[in-house]
């Protein structure tokens, strides 16, 4: 979500008490509706700003970022002035001689002293630029965790809250020919009213964690589109119609927009309405639908005025029929795994093509056709890789466990993150599920918050299914009954449980009985921890044998759930979590991975692999 800097600058506290209040208020920035967000950035010609950035650490209370009265300070490091060694001594920072961090990348795994650092880091780099008349330029940040404040040539161009979605800052009027500079303050401080909130079971990697680039577009340009297979009330395999919209920002009414998909024999030209949107529908005479068996992607060309771009898009139909999930009209069972955006082997936040390819490779090896990207949107390369590999995706916003559900401003943040996630990924065939939350405690304000969010997701994208991972309630003996009212708002129920690890014995699973809503259910988390190489009996905690045994018993239980349509064990790979501190067993990692963080497969990998190869985990109908 991009937040107006005017709003932040407008705060005028009078005394220290008010200053404290405003300082807190700044941490709960009021949200604006989504501002420009360029889609398909990875297919545009950009000037990459990846590479070495100078950095300075601004330890709490972040005296360079905030003034003594709690306002955001536009006149400190943001000015990027150099120290006055000879004359009056008033600048005690200098980016040009400061050390560097690689962008993209978290700061935690690059600088040992910053490993546990969760405050503010200032980034700076110079770049050359030649403005072209009749164009607009945006600074695009793929993701920065958690809040960002961006200045270009000393002028604040935007502020953003949210660690896992992209944002664009318009910089057209602040750039000049020749050398320019950008300063970004990234604040990874956890916030009670943030999303996620303060308590999380993953590593709070800070920094410019995804690509940063400059993108120049014509003055009137394509900022958004949605190009999908027609979603009629009933799926008709003969109806090969592609439909959607293209939005052209600042387009005069009746601007011509062309959508061309040569390989599908589909081409049409339509005209924008007054709001810049051009809706279209075109018959695609020859169209192979996207599926895990045949992940066909088509080159799609979109053009309007002086702007044009291409994308690789798959076309498929996903819907629910009673308790079944239908992909292109056929019942499908989702065999998957959870995954955090953690880089295999290298460690740290995942962002590279190699990271995405390695993770996709693990999933293919597992015979998976599905992945739950927990608990926040991952790097776009991951969805692109899933599109190509034929892996269906559950994508989630970080409404994790305890969130300030009673606060309208927090709802605004969640809604903005949802919109940013959907906008970035709505043209990816692999994405079939939007998840609004994970394991939130049931109460009226939470249920209203998440129901509203689910409805918002459905309004924005009626072609996909809406889900959430539900936890509890506590079992009554061997009876597990899900009567969470949030389920009414969902198309597919995600159900988490840890029988055999946090509760009961692994064998108890064989006798457990589930009562679940009459909707398709994905068992979205289950599993146990094991340290790779730690061998022992099946009843020995932390052994690979026990982890495998827990999963075997899980499959016995899962097969008996009539409406089970998918499984995603927790989790594909061990991941860093600062709260997991048992020496020698955890050492800062959640060890429920089927694979260790350095890429070694535990016995449980083979257990799941076999279940998937034999389609033992469950059936599509
Ligand atoms: C859960 C959470 C997940 C944790 C996992 C665990 O229920 O959804 O984020 O990491 O359990 O390992 O405890």
């Amino acid at each position: 979500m991009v937040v107006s800097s005017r709003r932040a600058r407008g705060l005028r506290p009078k005394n220290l008490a008010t200053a404290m209040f405003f300082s807190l208020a700044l941490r709960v920035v009021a949200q604006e509706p989504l501002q420009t967000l360029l889609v398909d950035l990875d297919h545009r010609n950009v000037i990459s700003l990846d590479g070495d950035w100078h950095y300075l650490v601004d330890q709490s209370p972040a005296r360079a970022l905030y003034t003594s009265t709690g306002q955001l300070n536009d006149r400190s490091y943001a000015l990027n002035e150099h120290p006055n060694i000879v004359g009056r001594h008033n600048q005690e920072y200098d980016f040009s001689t400061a050390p560097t961090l690689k962008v993209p990348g978290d700061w935690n795994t690059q600088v040992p002293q910053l490993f546990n650092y969760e405050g503010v880091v200032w980034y700076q780099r110079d770049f050359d630029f030649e403005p072209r008349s009749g164009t607009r330029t945006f600074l695009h940040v793929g993701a920065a965790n958690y809040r960002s404040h961006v200045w270009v040539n000393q002028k604040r161009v935007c502020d953003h809250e949210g660690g896992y979605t992209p944002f664009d800052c318009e910089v057209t009027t602040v750039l000049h020919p020749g050398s320019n500079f950008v300063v970004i303050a990234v604040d990874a401080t956890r916030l009670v009213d943030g999303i996620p909130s303060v308590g999380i079971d993953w590593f709070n990697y800070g920094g410019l964690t995804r690509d940063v680039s400059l993108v120049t577009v014509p003055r009137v340009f394509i900022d958004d589109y949605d190009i999908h297979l027609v979603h009629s009330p009933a799926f008709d395999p003969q109806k090969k119609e592609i439909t959607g919209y293209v939005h052209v920002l600042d387009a005069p009414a009746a601007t011509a927009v062309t959508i061309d998909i040569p390989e599908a024999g589909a081409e049409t030209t339509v005209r924008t309405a007054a709001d810049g949107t051009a809706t279209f529908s075109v018959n695609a005479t020859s169209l192979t639908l996207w599926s895990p068996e045949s992940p066909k992607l088509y080159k799609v060309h979109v053009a309007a005025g002086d702007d044009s771009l291409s994308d690789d898009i798959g076309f498929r139909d996903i819907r629910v029929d009673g308790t079944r999930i239908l992909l292109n009209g056929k019942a499908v069972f989702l065999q998957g795994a959870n995954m955090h955006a953690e880089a295999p082997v290298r460690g740290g936040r995942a962002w590279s093509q190699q990271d995405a390819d390695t993770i996709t490779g693990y999933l293919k090896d597992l015979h998976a056709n599905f992945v739950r990207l927990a608990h926040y949107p991952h790097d776009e390369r991951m969805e692109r890789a899933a599109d190509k590999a034929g892996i269906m995706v559950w994508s989630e916003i970080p409404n994790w466990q305890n969130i300030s559900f009673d606060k309208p401003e927090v709802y605004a943040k969640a809604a903005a993150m949802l919109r940013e996630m959907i906008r970035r990924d709505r043209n990816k065939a692999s994405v079939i599920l939007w998840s609004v939350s994970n394991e939130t405690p049931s109460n009226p304000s939470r249920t209203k918050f998440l129901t509203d969010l689910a409805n918002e997701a459905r309004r924005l994208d009626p072609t996909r299914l809406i889900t959430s991972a539900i936890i509890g309630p506590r079992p009554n003996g061997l009876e597990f009954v899900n009567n969470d009212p949030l389920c009414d708002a969902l198309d597919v129920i995600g159900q988490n449980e840890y029988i055999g690890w946090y509760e009961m014995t692994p064998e108890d699973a064989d006798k457990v009985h589930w009562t679940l809503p009459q909707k398709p259910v994905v068992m979205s988390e289950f599993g146990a921890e094991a340290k790779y190489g730690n061998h022992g009996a099946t009843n020995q905690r932390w052994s690979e044998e026990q982890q495998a045994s827990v999963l075997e018993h899980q499959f016995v239980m899962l097969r008996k759930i009539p409406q089970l349509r998918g499984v995603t064990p927790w989790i594909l790979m061990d991941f860093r979590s600062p709260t997991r501190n048992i020496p020698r067993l955890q050492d800062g990692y959640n060890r429920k991975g089927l694979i260790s963080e350095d890429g070694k497969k535990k016995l449980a990998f083979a257990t799941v692999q076999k279940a998937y190869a034999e389609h033992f985990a469950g059936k599509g109908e």
Side-chain angles (χ1 to χ4, degrees), residues 200-202 338 340 372 374-375 396 400-401 438-439 469-471 496-498 501-502 524-529 570-571 575 577 580 586 590-592:
I200 50 173
D201 183 25
W202 71 87
N338 284 278
H340 264 292
R372 175 177 177 221
H375 283 298
E396 181 162 299
W400 192 88
Q401 296 191 352
N438 174 75
E439 293 191 356
I470 307 281
I471 189 76
N496 294 359
E497 50 84 12
Y498 281 91
W501 186 252
Y502 292 128
S524 38
E525 286 183 34
F526 53 98
E529 298 204 32
W570 188 260
I571 184 169
F575 62 97
S577 178
R580 305 288 178 171
Q586 292 178 311
N590 183 315
R591 295 281 180 210
K592 297 190 188 74

Side-chain angles (χ1 to χ4, degrees), residues 85-105:
I85 302 289
V86 182
R88 193 164 57 89
H89 185 74
N90 60 0
Q91 298 291 335
E92 300 200 1
Y93 73 94
D94 184 15
F95 280 114
S96 67
T97 53
T100 57
L101 280 166
K102 290 266 180 244
V103 173

Side-chain angles (χ1 to χ4, degrees), residues 507-532:
E507 297 75 25
D508 282 337
D510 302 359
K511 293 166 274 164
V512 158
H513 177 255
W514 283 90
T515 304
L516 291 156
Q518 285 306 306
K519 292 189 175 189
V521 172
V522 172
M523 203 51 93
S524 38
E525 286 183 34
F526 53 98
E529 298 204 32
K531 175 76 191 279
Y532 172 80

